[in-house]
Amino acid sequence: MTSARIPKLEPSALDDDQRSLYDAIAGGRRAQGPQLFQLADSQGRLEGPFNAFLLQPRLGSALQALGSSVRYDTALDDRCREIAILVVAAHWRSDFEWYAHEAVARSVGLDDRELAAIQEGRHSALTGREAVVARTVAALVTRGDLDDAQYREAVSQVGTAGVFELLTLVGYYATLALQLRVFRVPAPDDTARPAAEPPA
């Protein structure tokens, strides 16, 4: 990836709307508890997609709120949620998404074998509900749809509301991946392993 196309915005240079959003990100739910990935660098500048949110604070605030809900307010269990996010990150080869959510996934118990399987698109290496979530999200990111059998399988494992949550999660993290790609945003200090291209 070439160098970032937008500079990190300095906290001291933010206007009132930007500062309000900055505080919501840096001091919100993502910042509570153990810091599994960097929200800000050593100078307090936001990392990853959050810096770009500051470019348009009203839209950035809406995205920040949606992201918080997707992470913390769904009925998906932690492992299934992180598997779904990592399938999106692997599909888009999004270094920052992989960096951040690999750390979260490890904290909820995913191991090297499971992470490698997700990164390489070998979703059959997962089992039960987790395999169904991975296959469902893979279908969504590759085809943008579920056939009748895939839909029934997803509903049988996560329910209709859970399918809605997965659709929303995929859309949100695909949006972030697109922003990260176009703005050429790297993971902090080249910490991420580039996500492998899943097999067709």
Side-chain angles (χ1 to χ4, degrees), residues 24-37 39 50 53 63-72 101 172-173 176:
I25 294 169
R29 292 172 88 174
R30 290 180 182 87
Q32 306 305 312
Q35 296 303 292
L36 300 172
F37 62 90
L39 284 172
F50 307 113
F53 286 11
L63 279 173
Q64 194 282 136
L66 175 59
S68 181
S69 290
V70 167
R71 282 281 306 281
Y72 303 109
H101 288 279
Y172 173 74
Y173 283 98
L176 296 194

Side-chain angles (χ1 to χ4, degrees), residues 30-146:
R30 290 180 182 87
Q32 306 305 312
Q35 296 303 292
L36 300 172
F37 62 90
Q38 290 179 230
L39 284 172
D41 66 15
S42 60
Q43 298 173 54
R45 300 173 303 182
L46 294 178
E47 294 281 12
F50 307 113
N51 179 61
F53 286 11
L54 298 174
L55 296 173
Q56 215 292 11
R58 284 175 295 176
L59 184 55
S61 292
L63 279 173
Q64 194 282 136
L66 175 59
S68 181
S69 290
V70 167
R71 282 281 306 281
Y72 303 109
D73 298 328
T74 71
L76 294 170
D77 64 81
D78 291 343
R79 283 177 57 97
C80 283
R81 183 194 65 241
E82 293 308 315
I83 287 167
I85 295 168
L86 289 174
V87 171
V88 176
H91 174 78
W92 282 90
R93 303 184 72 182
S94 181
D95 286 350
F96 188 91
E97 276 184 1
W98 187 270
Y99 147 78
H101 288 279
E102 178 183 15
V104 179
R106 287 183 186 282
S107 78
V108 297
L110 273 76
D111 61 25
D112 287 341
R113 179 190 60 80
E114 292 166 320
L115 290 167
I118 295 166
Q119 192 175 47
E120 295 162 11
R122 296 182 288 105
H123 304 133
S124 60
L126 302 170
T127 59
R129 185 177 195 226
E130 294 176 357
V132 171
V133 166
R135 286 195 300 270
T136 300
V137 174
L140 292 171
V141 296
T142 56
R143 293 199 341 272
D145 198 3
L146 301 174

